[in-house]
Amino acid sequence: MTSATIFSPLHASWYDRWHHNKDYPAEVAQLRGVLRDQSPVDSVLDLGCGTARHLELLAESGYAVTGVDRSPTMVAAARARLARFDGRAEVVESDLLDLALDRTFDAVTMMFSVLGYQVTTEGLLAALGAAHRHLRPDGILLFDILDGVVVLRDGALGGVTVVTDGDQQLIRATTGALDVDTQVYELRMRLWLLDGGRLVEHIEESHPLRFFLARELELLLAAGGFRLLGSAPLAGGQPGPSRAWSRLVWARRL
């Protein structure tokens, strides 16, 4: 089977195994530090929560958490992970642009370049709008981005990696393409699943990601009803040459 998509069921089902070396505790400690410094926060909404690795650690820290993701496979994994936090955690299956929860939160997060997947200005403003309408006045928005300065410095990257789990192996080959005019880095990915040495599935994915420069980001946030407060290199990240590409940004809802 071959298809072109973003976050296929195969990718989603191997997501946690693929990112087992990612330093989630460091990222969440950074998020907690920003929240502690900026505003009293009890509730957190994570748009594009994936398998809820961030939310699990936030819930362990005492926050009431809600996750949103459009992938049924991711949602099922997230609900299983958060099941032990009965009454303080939930997961909603929805595209973030269509989300209309009847409540607001103290903080909204969008991690793993969720904002950058909106490669057009219209899409970016729509995603910021979804965050804005689910934040209380003066609430805090946190998200990570591809830092345009570093991306332009390093250029396109690629490689082949393998994850093994029992008799199964997932092989991932990636190539990158950089479009300076549109500020899009396209990550092209091919996945092969082997079981006992036999090929059982082949998927092709394309992940177009917008990268950002500082002044542009400040203007986009202002247009979306936010005031930029600060940014810093993302504390966690997956080991590899692109680890330095990610930057954490935080802003206040106006």
Side-chain angles (χ1 to χ4, degrees), residues 138-167:
D138 292 329
I140 301 298
L141 172 65
L142 304 98
F143 57 95
D144 63 342
I145 59 164
L146 294 185
D147 186 334
V149 172
V150 184
V151 172
L152 291 170
R153 180 197 69 195
D154 291 351
L157 301 175
V160 177
T161 50
V162 179
V163 176
T164 300
D165 188 351
D167 292 332

Side-chain angles (χ1 to χ4, degrees), residues 3-251:
S3 62
T5 184
I6 297 177
F7 290 116
S8 63
L10 174 62
H11 188 163
S13 64
W14 278 74
Y15 190 81
D16 283 337
R17 284 170 283 187
W18 200 268
H19 293 287
H20 70 282
N21 287 328
K22 181 176 171 64
D23 195 349
Y24 285 99
E27 284 190 17
V28 172
Q30 188 179 30
L31 294 176
R32 289 199 312 263
V34 172
L35 294 176
R36 184 173 57 249
D37 292 343
Q38 295 298 329
S39 179
V41 172
D42 294 317
S43 59
V44 178
L45 171 67
D46 189 11
L47 300 177
C49 68
T51 61
R53 293 288 296 278
H54 292 102
L55 288 184
E56 179 182 33
L57 295 173
L58 287 170
E60 287 179 350
S61 299
Y63 296 99
V65 300
T66 298
V68 175
D69 206 280
R70 69 181 184 180
S71 164
T73 305
M74 296 278 200
V75 167
R79 286 173 175 164
R81 172 164 282 116
L82 298 177
R84 62 191 175 99
F85 302 104
D86 185 39
R88 292 195 297 113
E90 65 173 327
V91 183
V92 177
E93 184 179 331
S94 173
D95 189 297
L96 72 89
L97 300 182
D98 300 326
L99 188 66
L101 301 178
D102 190 25
R103 62 190 187 279
T104 58
F105 299 80
D106 299 324
V108 169
T109 59
M110 291 190 286
M111 303 302 293
F112 260 120
S113 289
V114 165
L115 187 64
Y117 274 100
Q118 318 305 319
V119 296
T120 67
T121 300
E122 293 78 12
L124 286 168
L125 291 175
L128 290 173
H132 192 275
R133 65 177 176 264
H134 289 96
L135 266 173
R136 63 166 172 79
D138 292 329
I140 301 298
L141 172 65
L142 304 98
F143 57 95
D144 63 342
I145 59 164
L146 294 185
D147 186 334
V149 172
V150 184
V151 172
L152 291 170
R153 180 197 69 195
D154 291 351
L157 301 175
V160 177
T161 50
V162 179
V163 176
T164 300
D165 188 351
D167 292 332
Q168 291 190 324
Q169 285 186 317
L170 186 70
I171 302 171
R172 183 178 77 164
T174 61
T175 57
L178 186 62
D179 189 326
V180 175
D181 292 334
T182 61
Q183 292 185 213
V184 171
Y185 185 87
E186 183 184 5
L187 177 65
R188 299 165 183 167
M189 185 183 304
R190 300 182 72 184
L191 303 172
W192 295 269
L193 178 63
L194 282 67
D195 193 338
R198 183 175 63 89
L199 179 65
V200 294
E201 192 168 358
H202 171 217
I203 293 290
E204 296 181 7
E205 298 187 356
S206 175
H207 295 253
L209 295 164
R210 184 152 168 172
F211 55 87
F212 298 87
L213 299 172
R215 183 60 61 85
E216 166 204 23
L217 188 59
E218 185 176 9
L219 292 172
L220 282 168
L221 285 167
F226 293 92
R227 177 167 59 88
L228 178 63
L229 297 175
S231 71
L234 187 64
Q238 184 81 345
S242 65
R243 182 169 184 168
W245 287 21
S246 294
R247 193 167 187 86
L248 182 68
V249 180
W250 53 97

